């Protein structure tokens, strides 16, 4: 199967905090400017989304939790598990935590919390609607 590869290093060498209003290169910013669009493109084109973690100076856990958590929140855990492959040699523990903790926790949030905290700003984002179809909304 064809894939689209995203390197976090192409976004930043120094990943930052959880939210954009907390500082530069946040997990939220990575999600709204890179990851959301790439995921929607992979769904449309029936491709795998490879997210390469290696090459950065390291990761605050909040960066990864927010970026991959919002991915699950907007596209569902099941779809993310089918489409997304996290590639890493150096950050294997981070990958394990995303898969075993972030995905299930954010799937629960998706089911129980209709409104999440975000930084101010309007972004047009793709998501999977209640009918299971790809849709777009402003948040």
């Amino acid at each position: 199967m064809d894939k689209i590869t995203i390197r976090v290093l192409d976004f930043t060498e120094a990943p930052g905090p959880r939210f954009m209003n907390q500082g530069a290169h946040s997990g939220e910013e990575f999600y709204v400017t890179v990851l959301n669009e790439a995921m929607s493109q992979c769904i449309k084109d029936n491709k795998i989304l490879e997210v390469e973690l290696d090459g950065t100076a390291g990761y605050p856990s909040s960066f990864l939790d927010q970026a991959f958590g919002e991915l699950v929140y907007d596209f569902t855990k099941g779809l993310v598990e089918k489409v997304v492959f996290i590639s890493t040699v150096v950050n294997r523990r981070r990958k394990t935590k995303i898969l075993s903790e972030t995905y299930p926790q954010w799937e629960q949030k998706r089911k129980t919390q209709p409104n999440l905290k975000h930084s101010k700003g309007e972004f047009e984002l793709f998501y999977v609607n209640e009918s299971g179809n790809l849709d777009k909304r402003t948040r």
Side-chain angles (χ1 to χ4, degrees):
M1 183 178 271
D2 289 339
K3 67 181 176 180
I4 293 174
T5 300
I6 293 173
R7 297 174 57 224
V8 178
L9 183 59
D10 292 337
F11 172 71
T12 183
E13 187 178 323
R18 178 176 301 275
F19 297 115
M20 290 182 286
N21 62 4
Q22 294 174 317
H25 312 298
S26 69
E28 181 183 38
E29 180 184 359
F30 178 65
Y31 179 72
V32 300
T33 62
V34 178
L35 203 51
N36 180 273
E37 174 69 32
M39 179 68 170
S40 68
Q41 195 62 51
C42 285
I43 292 168
K44 290 175 191 173
D45 296 342
N46 196 29
K47 293 183 178 182
I48 295 295
L49 175 57
E50 178 181 23
V51 181
E52 188 177 306
L53 299 182
D54 293 341
T56 68
Y59 289 95
S61 58
S62 59
F63 175 95
L64 295 172
D65 183 67
Q66 192 68 29
F68 286 95
E70 288 214 42
L71 194 66
V72 168
Y73 192 87
D74 284 344
F75 295 99
T76 77
K77 179 178 177 273
L79 189 55
V80 170
E81 289 174 334
K82 287 179 188 174
V83 174
V84 176
F85 174 73
I86 300 170
S87 172
T88 184
V89 173
V90 178
N91 296 290
R92 290 187 303 258
R93 285 189 183 146
R94 294 286 194 200
K95 176 181 176 177
T96 298
K97 186 172 182 174
I98 292 166
L99 300 176
S100 66
E101 295 179 25
T102 300
Y103 283 6
Q105 288 170 358
W106 279 76
E107 178 68 6
Q108 185 63 28
K109 286 182 186 183
R110 187 184 69 76
K111 292 177 178 177
T112 61
Q113 296 180 27
N115 297 308
L116 292 177
K117 177 183 174 183
H118 292 105
S119 297
K120 292 185 191 246
E122 286 192 12
F123 302 94
E124 283 201 355
L125 299 172
F126 289 96
Y127 73 104
V128 172
N129 63 28
E130 291 178 8
S131 302
N133 298 314
L134 197 58
D135 207 344
K136 202 167 192 180
R137 69 168 175 246
T138 301
R139 89 141 206 226

